[in-house]
Amino acid sequence: LLAPLVGRAAREVMSQEPRSVGASSSIPQALVMMVEGGFAQLPVVDRAGAVLGLLGQEEVLRAAAEQAAADDG
């Protein structure tokens, strides 16, 4: 499966126009971007555009589950 990709660079297969979310963007806003764009993850960037990390659907669900558990006491 991967043999045809040996020797190819990441830039050859990466998203050419990636979407990102600002560090202070709301979680619902980020989720809308993910759903509308068909992305499982989005880069989180600072005001200068430097990547701070990745926000994925899994991280959002985990945070929601932890918050729900904490709210339940």
Side-chain angles (χ1 to χ4, degrees):
L1 177 68
L2 296 178
L5 299 177
V6 172
R8 291 187 67 188
R11 70 177 173 273
E12 295 178 51
V13 296
M14 69 181 188
S15 298
Q16 296 296 315
E17 296 181 31
R19 300 284 310 263
S20 62
V21 65
S24 62
S25 297
S26 72
I27 298 300
Q29 180 182 12
L31 283 173
V32 167
M33 289 177 66
M34 286 183 210
V35 170
E36 289 180 350
F39 307 118
Q41 296 180 322
L42 290 172
V44 179
V45 298
D46 65 13
R47 291 180 188 247
V51 176
L52 301 173
L54 291 174
L55 176 66
Q57 294 172 4
E58 183 176 335
E59 288 83 10
V60 172
L61 288 172
R62 183 178 299 116
E66 289 172 359
Q67 184 65 51
D71 291 347
D72 287 343

